[in-house]
Amino acid sequence: MKNILLIYFIFLSSYNGLGQELEDILEQEASDTTLLVASTFNGTRLLNGHSVETRKEGILEFLISHRFGRVNSGFDQLFGLDESNIRFGFEYAMNDRLTLAIGRSSFEKTYDVYAKYRLLQQKTGESPFPFGLTVFGSATEKTIKDYEPGNKPSFSDRLTYTGQILLAKKINPTVSVQFAPTFIHFNTAPESIDPNDIVSLGFGTRVKISKRVSLNGEYYYNINPFDSLDVKNSIAFGVDIETGGHIFQLIFTNGVSMIEKGFIAETTGDFLKGDIHFGFNISRAFQLKKQNRPYVN
Amino acid sequence: MRWLFFVIINLWVLNGALAQGKFLAKDGYVSFFSHSLLEDIKADNNQVLSIIDTDTGSIAIQLLMRSFMFKKALMQEHFNENYVESYKYPKATFSGKIKDFDTLNRRNGKTEIVGVLSIHGRKKEISTMAMIEFINNEIVLKGEFWVEVADFDIKIPKIVENNIAKSIKVNFELHHKPYN
């Protein structure tokens, strides 16, 4: 009798086991997913400099950036608004990792091309990865005729190259940080005492204050600045506002250039003394190719 | 004594029957569609998990919000970041019952599904009619229903108010195979 009761309870318990919650079975089936951490930053620029972000395949981003004159230039200059520098760029995502771009800045009439490649991406889930790494390389050509007549520099004399490693981590949905060691090579340094190669360390952060608005900060520390110029480290603060297909970035910075070699190596404004330029970046994304793959890994 | 043996044999048979009683869909399909004067938005998800207990008619469904595919990548990013906040609420789930599962007795037909839909961390009781088909040891559920964006506390900013519908049409097609 006892044995039979025992068998009865064994069956009863196995019956309960089979009554396992359907949700538990689904959890078990769903457990092995790894997700890419998306939107570490809102845009491809943190403020002046690049962020780890690249656009998804087939997106053409049209970027218009402005930097006005110094806000301490007085009422006569309407606090810098009379003076305006512009860069516009076309940036195309060949795939989710590689972006190729061309841009033109009015400051020193400079053309720039760059390639940006997302090497590693931050991941969560089954096989997580702690940070994202993007490499960036650019070449710029200054075309302003600021030389003595008859002393025309060659094409290569006016070239500058920049290489950057962008390392970023989205710490939580609100806060992301970035570290950006940068190497810049000038084919022609301003004076003979100046180094041709500049090394700088970039630090940046983004703090979201609402779903569509974030505060950003960015600082580049120059290890070996030019000696002939009174070079200051680049500082920028700003607000990102994201509205559908647009991103507006409002920026306060001590640099006037919107390309790496300019704002990192050639900034002379003293932020703390009010040499601040107001500016903005506006980006508009066009999906030229419809995406057909999931965004999940 | 004898009745006990009956009970045990009954349980044993029942046990065997129950082991066959679950049907799982691993790559189910769910899509949603928003129609507005300015824009039609559609997103597809082909990685939906669904399970049916054929003894009780219970059904549970879950999907990852991030697995919804949009034609525009940025739209997908904004959907996840700004609307459904998938970093906070990664999944949408449904838990409910196929009402006349027993009386259908494995015949194809229409059936009512009732249960609780959970999206964006908010729950809402829903009921919908669905087609149920039994084909080659598969249980297929197909249908559509409407959800109100506001029911799930998903906020649409003023600036895109005319681009996104307030009621979203959801379509589903789930092919369940025997699960063991």
Side-chain angles (χ1 to χ4, degrees):
Chain A
M1 186 68 188
K2 247 184 193 169
N3 283 342
I4 289 164
L5 268 176
L6 189 69
I7 292 167
Y8 181 84
F9 281 113
I10 287 169
F11 275 112
L12 202 63
S13 64
S14 72
Y15 172 85
N16 281 338
L18 279 161
Q20 181 194 7
E21 289 289 310
L22 294 178
E23 281 82 1
D24 296 340
I25 299 175
L26 291 189
E27 284 304 322
Q28 215 173 300
E29 292 291 330
S31 63
D32 56 346
T33 46
T34 300
L35 293 172
L36 294 177
V37 172
S39 308
T40 305
F41 299 103
N42 288 350
T44 58
R45 301 302 196 288
L46 186 53
L47 286 162
N48 285 319
H50 277 265
S51 74
V52 283
E53 297 292 339
T54 56
R55 291 298 175 210
K56 295 280 180 292
E57 180 174 340
I59 290 182
L60 175 71
E61 192 168 34
F62 179 48
L63 196 75
I64 305 174
S65 311
H66 267 280
R67 298 293 180 272
F68 294 103
R70 290 177 177 176
V71 295
N72 62 358
S73 56
F75 183 71
D76 186 47
Q77 294 283 331
L78 200 64
F79 308 101
L81 295 186
D82 280 357
E83 189 193 323
S84 161
N85 293 289
I86 184 171
R87 176 188 180 272
F88 53 87
F90 290 97
E91 321 201 339
Y92 184 69
M94 306 297 289
N95 53 52
D96 289 358
R97 290 174 181 271
L98 178 68
T99 297
L100 299 177
I102 182 161
R104 205 269 190 183
S105 303
S106 65
F107 185 70
E108 296 182 333
K109 300 188 191 296
T110 307
Y111 291 86
D112 65 275
V113 290
Y114 77 75
K116 190 174 174 185
Y117 188 78
R118 214 185 247 265
L119 211 57
L120 300 169
Q121 278 178 280
Q122 193 178 341
K123 288 172 191 168
T124 57
E126 190 74 357
S127 44
F129 192 74
F131 60 87
L133 193 157
T134 299
V135 290
F136 168 88
S138 78
T140 69
E141 172 74 7
K142 188 162 100 174
T143 65
I144 193 169
K145 295 185 175 68
D146 60 350
Y147 45 82
E148 308 279 311
N151 198 14
K152 193 180 179 215
S154 69
F155 177 81
S156 78
D157 283 348
R158 312 200 101 192
L159 272 173
T160 306
Y161 304 96
T162 304
Q164 253 185 331
I165 293 168
L166 305 156
L167 273 164
K169 184 170 175 67
K170 189 174 191 173
I171 295 170
N172 57 43
T174 309
V175 181
S176 301
V177 291
Q178 179 171 280
F179 174 56
T182 306
F183 174 83
I184 303 171
H185 175 81
F186 288 81
N187 274 0
T188 309
E191 300 292 338
S192 56
I193 52 162
D194 292 324
N196 283 78
D197 299 325
I198 303 279
V199 178
S200 184
L201 300 177
F203 302 88
T205 185
R206 171 199 79 164
V207 180
K208 265 190 148 178
I209 55 172
S210 82
K211 271 189 257 178
R212 290 175 179 79
V213 181
S214 75
L215 300 178
N216 298 0
E218 187 184 57
Y219 180 73
Y220 277 89
Y221 174 76
N222 290 326
I223 291 174
N224 60 334
F226 289 136
D227 294 318
S228 67
L229 297 167
D230 184 19
V231 174
K232 298 286 191 297
N233 292 328
S234 166
I235 301 174
F237 294 102
V239 183
D240 269 19
I241 302 159
E242 186 258 286
T243 62
H246 296 274
I247 296 171
F248 292 99
Q249 291 182 299
L250 304 177
I251 300 167
F252 292 94
T253 178
N254 57 342
V256 69
S257 175
M258 289 153 272
I259 48 179
E260 281 63 29
K261 72 111 184 167
F263 71 82
I264 296 173
E266 297 170 332
T267 288
T268 53
D270 190 334
F271 197 89
L272 299 176
K273 285 192 178 144
D275 300 339
I276 298 168
H277 301 262
F278 172 63
F280 53 81
N281 300 336
I282 299 175
S283 120
R284 172 75 204 178
F286 301 95
Q287 183 98 35
L288 296 190
K289 212 165 93 186
K290 284 181 176 134
Q291 66 165 2
N292 49 10
R293 292 151 302 104
Y295 163 88
V296 178
N297 222 7
Chain B
M1 251 338 250
R2 215 190 222 166
W3 65 269
L4 252 179
F5 275 113
F6 272 116
V7 167
I8 287 162
I9 286 180
N10 268 335
L11 275 172
W12 189 56
V13 169
L14 192 63
N15 219 345
L18 280 171
Q20 302 296 316
K22 288 191 178 67
F23 282 72
L24 177 78
K26 270 190 154 177
D27 43 13
Y29 170 77
V30 168
S31 70
F32 68 79
F33 182 73
S34 151
H35 170 75
S36 71
L37 285 175
L38 291 179
E39 191 169 26
D40 286 339
I41 300 167
K42 187 173 182 277
D44 304 307
N45 191 330
N46 282 302
Q47 299 168 12
V48 180
L49 285 171
S50 172
I51 190 162
I52 299 173
D53 186 333
T54 51
D55 298 302
T56 60
S58 297
I59 178 167
I61 303 172
Q62 70 161 251
L63 59 83
L64 281 176
M65 298 309 269
R66 293 238 319 202
S67 306
F68 274 108
M69 282 291 302
F70 291 68
K71 286 208 173 77
K72 292 181 178 175
L74 268 185
M75 206 177 253
Q76 188 167 335
E77 208 174 309
H78 297 154
F79 168 76
N80 284 294
E81 283 292 306
N82 304 337
Y83 293 88
V84 297
E85 299 174 272
S86 49
Y87 52 90
K88 253 193 257 172
Y89 313 106
K91 284 171 185 170
T93 62
F94 175 81
S95 175
K97 239 181 157 80
I98 302 168
K99 259 194 161 172
D100 338 291
F101 196 80
D102 295 339
T103 50
L104 274 169
N105 202 17
R106 303 219 153 209
R107 272 176 290 115
N108 300 346
K110 279 208 150 177
T111 181
E112 191 183 2
I113 302 177
V114 292
V116 176
L117 179 65
S118 165
I119 303 172
H120 195 230
R122 310 299 187 283
K123 287 180 165 45
K124 168 100 180 146
E125 194 132 339
I126 61 162
S127 122
T128 178
M129 294 304 289
M131 280 297 297
I132 185 162
E133 288 167 13
F134 299 89
I135 318 163
N136 304 332
N137 212 21
E138 259 189 25
I139 305 174
V140 183
L141 281 177
K142 273 187 229 174
E144 62 176 55
F145 59 94
W146 292 79
V147 293
E148 300 294 314
V149 177
D151 285 343
F152 298 96
D153 198 24
I154 296 166
K155 294 192 180 72
I156 300 170
K158 277 254 160 14
I159 194 164
V160 291
E161 217 174 41
N162 295 322
N163 298 57
I164 301 170
K166 290 182 178 60
S167 302
I168 306 284
K169 189 167 90 175
V170 180
N171 277 285
F172 59 92
E173 182 168 339
L174 307 160
H175 292 249
H176 301 81
K177 294 180 178 69
Y179 173 74
N180 37 44

